Structures are given as structure tokens and as C-alpha cells.
Amino acid sequence: MKTNIFFFCYLLIAMSVRAQNFIDPETPSGTMPANDNIGSNWALNFSDEFNGSELDLDKWTIDNSTSTRTPRPDIGVDKWFWKPANVVVSNGNLVLKVKKENDSTMHCGSIRSLDKYMPQYGYFEARIQIANVNKGTHTAFWLQGPNMGNVNGNGNDGAEIDIFESAWTGDYTKSVIHIDGYGQDTQANTKQYTTDGIHTGFHTWGMRWTHDYIKIYYDGVLKVTYNTDMWIPRCPEYLWLSDGASFGVQGDSFFVNRPIGWLTEAYVDYMRVWFINSLLNGTFADNGDNWTLSNGDIAFQDNAETNITGKTCRMPGAAAGRNIRQTIGVTPGSTYQFGFKGRIQNAIGASGSQVNNHSTYGVATLKGEILDANNNVLLTISTQSATDQTLSDTFTVPAGVTTVTVKLSKDWNIAYLDDVELLETTPPQSARKHEDETLSTANPNLKDLIVSTENNKIKIEATSQISSLVLFDASGRIIRKLTPGQSIATVDLVSSGIYIIEAKLTGGEIFRKKIAMR
């Protein structure tokens, strides 16, 4: 009799489930970025702990160069290639190996997630030990958009984002954003930053990418900020981890004088991506933190002239548009409620004392929008009232959309707003259907679930092979998917509640059961 035992974990965070099939089961439950400067309201969207014996090809493609990449004659490398033989998963690391193939040829390792995992915005983190720069190589953690070759004077439709390239022997590296391809129209923005200890041991690189800026961190410390419109991609990009022939050193000693054979290797402990978990600071209590502002004169203040209680957002500028924005991860197929309180009028005054009209500009509008990654409008709610209004409406997230931007704007006049919210009200139909199915199906090949409320563990024992397991919460939302054959960490549940477990046997039989954790 073959027995399979699986343990599931769930960290109860509102609206936290995103593309669970891209999350490594061995990523510890509740894992947050290794960065104390970006808050904790993050939902894991992607992870690879590289703990198996082979690369996960559902997430990655191994590069195989058919022609040489850019030669590095300064170190004697006339040709260099990315080759599959130089990519290994071993001892809990992705290993990107560097080899001297002959006196003028180098082979290196590279993987990317093109057409497999292509996120837009979020926090990106990798823990890496770089390859030995003194052997004539550099290690890189980067992203690229499929359309970065479009020549249009900006990177909004795609860019190469080099979080770092370790091409120098000093304690520094450089970040670069490339736009407009690699031909005569190419443009690049390079920023050097210090990296104490980069040539010894593992270090953690992070990147926070929003609609309006890119911030790069080294061991949790902010090092680089890009916040000029032309350098910020606003489209999906894929992950890239690689090493290659160095462009930052010179002299034969870096390559020519080395023996033929393996030279060095880079090690990647993990790669993880998080999305913002839910809308932050919709009451503006923290002076607009987590909101991107179009203008510096937008104020967050307690205002006795308005009936909206507490701190409000005031958008001034009689004849100039103003807006605030925030990008948030969402679940395709889920229904969300979007709302806010607000009013708009000609000038500062007690609520209702000013009419919203003007002899030149007419009636002003305060508008709230939900935009997808391509700025398509999914929902609009608005008011032209000079007295406080509470507005709300719902929308369903289209397939393939994993982030939305909440944008609140006014065309002219002075606007006040508060209590902005974005709440998931209904999970996808594909998950909800499990609430209505029979959850206590008898199956002679599957024992009853054993639930330890004291230790908050869910345990399954089967008399035949289980091909897949899915854990749902009470609303039918998928919390965790596990596939047998992968190593599964044992982690305690951290919340009580109602859960649904679904087990599929290799013979096609499906077993479901509802359980209560107290």
C-alpha cells in the first residue's frame, strides 16, 4: 500500500491568491520580501526555490545561442554563447556555469521566462552569489519586454531593465534601462551604485516597479531610482537570469591565460515576485503614502470645510487636471467593488456653499477609474456634485489581467475625496462552483481527512496515488495547489476557518471534503 501525505498552509490575507501555479510549494508560507523599506502588504505571485534536480520548464526556458553574442576582444573572447549544458539545478541553487571552450570561446548559462511568466509591476527579488569577475565573466539579473525594439522615444511598450550586471572588480555595479532596441536609435540610462561585499557570498537584489517609477535595492537598501516617464515600461516583461563574457574588465589575465575547462559559476538561491495585495491608505491617514501623485500641490489634510471626516485628499488647480493613482494585483475572473467619497466645486468653502459651475469652464467632474495594464478603462464612476457623495460600482476582471490601476482625477476646479476602496466581492466562477458540489463523496481509495486542530494541520492519506491536490477557502477561492513529485514543506496553518480540500487520483476519481479549522 502506497501512502501519500501532504500538508497545506494558508496565510489569511485579503485578496492574496494570484496565479498559484507559479508559486513553488517549497516557498515558506507568508514569505515577504527581504526588505524593511517597502512594507508588508504583498501577495506572492511567483517563486522558484530551485530545490529540485531539474529546472522547472513550466516557468523557464533555457537559452541556447546559435550564433555568438557580442564579442569581448578586450579579454580575448572572440565568441561566446549561452548553452543548456551550462544551466544546472543542484543543492538548492540554480547554477549558471562558465566554461572556456577553447582559447577564444566562452560558454555561459542563461534562463528566462518569456511567454511563460510575464508580470507587469510588483516587487522582484533574487538572492544571488555572482560568478568570479576575475575569470572574465559577469552575472546579471534583468527583465525585458518583447517589444523593447520598437523605436518611439520611450520604454513604455517595453525596455531592458538591468537590475545589476556584475562586470567590474570593485565593490560597485550598474543598473541600466535600455529602450528603442539595440540599433542606431537605442538609448540607455545607466546608474552606478555601491555594493559592499558583492564579490563574496550571497546578496539580495530587489526591484519595485510601478506605473511611475523603478526602485532598485541591494541587501534591502535603496540604491537607484528611475522616475522619468520615458524610462518606465508599462507592459508585461519577462524575467532573465544569466552570466556572460564581461564587458567591464580588460586584459588577457581575465580569460586568455586561464586553462580550458570550467572557469566559475553564479548561484541563484531563489527568484520571487510579489504584487501589492490590496489598495493601501484609501483614507489618506498616512499623508498619501502608496499613492502616486500627478502634481506636488495635491494635499492630504484635516479640512473643516468639508463634511468628509478625518484626513482628505484635496486636489487644487482651478483649470488644471490632477490625479492620484495606485496599482494593485487582482484575480482574473473575480468581481470587485470600487468606490470613494467626494465632491467638486469652484472654490474652498463649506460643503454645499459653492455651486459646481463656471462661466468659462462649465461643470467640473471628479472621476474614479479602474484601468488595466494597457490603460483600457474597466470601470468609471464620477460625480459633479458640490456636496459630498458616496459612489461605488462593481467590475469583473477580464481573463489575463493580473494588475489594475485605481485612478482618481478631476478635470478642473477643486476636488475633495476620501475612503477609496477596492474590495474583492466574488471569487472566479471556476472556484465558486466547488461550494455547490457534493463535498463528502465516499471513495474506497481515499481515507477520511485527519484534522489536527491543535497543530492546525490538514493531512491526507490515500491508498492509491494522488495526482493533484487543491485547497480552497470557504468562498471557493484557490489557496494552494500541489503536485505530487515535488518536495512539500510542512507549515502550520495560521488561521481558523472553513476549508475545502479536493484530491484527484491517478485513475481520474475526484474526492472533495469540507473541513473546519478551529
Side-chain angles (χ1 to χ4, degrees):
M1 180 175 70
K2 187 172 182 179
T3 300
N4 293 295
I5 302 175
F6 298 92
F7 294 92
F8 292 88
C9 62
Y10 172 42
L11 178 63
L12 185 60
I13 304 174
M15 293 180 289
S16 67
V17 180
R18 309 280 187 269
Q20 293 289 336
N21 57 313
F22 284 113
I23 296 177
D24 191 326
E26 291 209 1
T27 303
S29 175
T31 293
M32 289 287 116
N35 189 333
D36 294 332
N37 299 303
I38 60 171
S40 60
N41 194 45
W42 297 98
L44 190 66
N45 186 259
F46 173 100
S47 64
D48 198 331
E49 306 300 319
F50 303 113
N51 284 341
S53 58
E54 297 180 348
L55 190 68
D56 186 345
L57 297 181
D58 289 332
K59 299 175 180 177
W60 304 100
T61 295
I62 302 174
D63 285 310
N64 185 15
S65 304
T66 56
S67 60
T68 182
R69 299 186 61 79
T70 305
R72 310 295 186 197
D74 287 343
I75 59 172
V77 177
D78 296 332
K79 296 182 293 184
W80 71 276
F81 306 82
W82 284 323
K83 292 297 180 183
N86 293 61
V87 175
V88 176
V89 175
S90 177
N91 296 321
N93 295 299
L94 166 69
V95 185
L96 302 174
K97 306 177 73 174
V98 181
K99 184 179 182 182
K100 181 175 181 179
E101 196 70 14
N102 58 48
D103 286 339
S104 62
T105 305
M106 178 184 284
H107 285 181
C108 304
S110 172
I111 65 170
R112 52 180 159 170
S113 65
L114 174 64
D115 294 331
K116 295 182 177 180
Y117 179 72
M118 297 177 58
Q120 178 173 347
Y121 309 137
Y123 188 76
F124 302 74
E125 183 176 278
R127 184 170 180 265
I128 301 172
Q129 178 175 307
I130 67 170
N132 189 342
V133 178
N134 289 302
K135 300 292 181 70
T137 191
H138 75 280
T139 307
F141 172 22
W142 46 318
L143 285 79
Q144 186 161 303
N147 296 317
M148 72 85 58
N150 293 348
V151 177
N152 53 17
N154 64 63
N156 294 173
D157 58 347
E160 175 186 322
I161 308 170
D162 298 315
I163 296 170
F164 85 93
E165 295 176 289
S166 63
W168 301 272
T169 56
D171 276 358
Y172 67 91
T173 187
K174 296 179 183 179
S175 168
V176 189
I177 295 183
H178 300 265
I179 64 173
D180 290 343
Y182 301 107
Q184 62 180 8
D185 298 304
T186 186
Q187 300 185 68
N189 188 343
T190 302
K191 298 187 182 233
Q192 180 174 314
Y193 59 97
T194 58
T195 50
D196 292 344
I198 186 175
H199 299 286
T200 304
F202 282 88
H203 296 275
T204 303
W205 276 269
M207 178 185 73
R208 186 169 185 179
W209 171 26
T210 74
H211 180 277
D212 299 286
Y213 64 78
I214 288 173
K215 294 183 178 182
I216 292 172
Y217 297 82
Y218 175 72
D219 287 339
V221 178
L222 177 63
K223 293 292 184 176
V224 169
T225 298
Y226 298 91
N227 53 15
T228 304
D229 182 86
M230 69 179 289
W231 301 109
I232 310 302
R234 295 183 178 129
C235 63
E237 302 234 357
Y238 52 92
L239 313 175
W240 212 329
L241 298 162
S242 67
D243 48 27
S246 181
F247 53 84
V249 295
Q250 295 182 337
D252 290 351
S253 62
F254 290 102
F255 179 76
V256 173
N257 295 331
R258 305 287 177 185
I260 292 174
W262 298 107
L263 297 176
T264 182
E265 54 277 314
Y267 298 92
V268 183
D269 180 23
Y270 64 77
M271 173 73 232
R272 299 169 185 160
V273 181
W274 293 263
F275 286 169
I276 282 287
N277 191 44
S278 60
L279 186 140
L280 294 174
N281 194 26
T283 62
F284 310 115
D286 296 326
N287 295 315
D289 286 357
N290 298 297
W291 289 95
T292 297
L293 315 182
S294 64
N295 298 77
D297 57 6
I298 296 174
F300 303 91
Q301 58 194 31
D302 290 309
N303 194 323
E305 301 294 341
T306 176
N307 289 335
I308 302 175
T309 59
K311 190 158 287 188
T312 65
C313 173
R314 179 177 183 269
M315 296 185 188
R322 298 289 191 274
N323 69 75
I324 63 173
R325 302 180 303 282
Q326 190 172 148
T327 300
I328 302 145
V330 291
T331 304
S334 285
T335 299
Y336 289 78
Q337 177 175 298
F338 169 51
F340 65 90
K341 292 180 181 178
R343 65 185 173 94
I344 192 162
Q345 59 188 49
N346 284 344
I348 298 175
S351 178
S353 66
Q354 299 287 330
V355 296
N356 177 14
N357 204 350
H358 193 280
S359 58
T360 301
Y361 300 109
V363 180
T365 301
L366 172 62
K367 180 169 61 176
E369 296 175 290
I370 302 295
L371 309 173
D372 71 10
N374 297 314
N375 288 320
N376 297 313
V377 179
L378 304 180
L379 177 66
T380 299
I381 53 178
S382 63
T383 182
Q384 294 181 325
S385 175
T387 61
D388 299 326
Q389 302 292 311
T390 298
L391 301 91
S392 70
D393 202 350
T394 61
F395 69 99
T396 299
V397 181
V401 173
T402 56
T403 62
V404 297
T405 295
V406 175
K407 179 180 179 182
L408 297 116
S409 63
K410 56 97 179 179
D411 48 5
W412 69 280
N413 258 355
I414 297 171
Y416 296 87
L417 63 95
D418 199 4
D419 294 343
V420 185
E421 66 175 13
L422 184 70
L423 302 173
E424 186 174 18
T425 60
T426 310
Q429 183 65 37
S430 60
R432 292 203 311 276
K433 69 179 183 180
H434 293 279
E435 291 182 278
D436 303 323
E437 295 178 349
T438 301
L439 301 175
S440 59
T441 306
N443 190 315
N445 293 318
L446 199 63
K447 294 182 180 180
D448 288 340
L449 296 176
I450 302 171
V451 180
S452 171
T453 55
E454 180 181 353
N455 295 321
N456 273 354
K457 294 184 187 296
I458 299 175
K459 177 182 177 182
I460 293 181
E461 292 183 329
T463 57
S464 61
Q465 183 69 41
I466 298 176
S467 64
S468 66
L469 288 166
V470 182
L471 179 68
F472 300 90
D473 68 8
S475 70
R477 185 192 313 215
I478 297 175
I479 300 304
R480 191 78 181 268
K481 291 182 180 179
L482 296 176
T483 302
Q486 298 176 338
S487 298
I488 307 302
T490 301
V491 184
D492 291 348
L493 287 164
V494 297
S495 176
S496 61
I498 302 297
Y499 297 92
I500 300 163
I501 190 74
E502 176 182 282
K504 184 176 181 180
L505 305 184
T506 53
E509 299 161 297
I510 296 177
F511 177 89
R512 301 182 184 91
K513 186 169 182 178
K514 182 184 291 183
I515 54 177
M517 300 297 294
R518 295 182 175 84

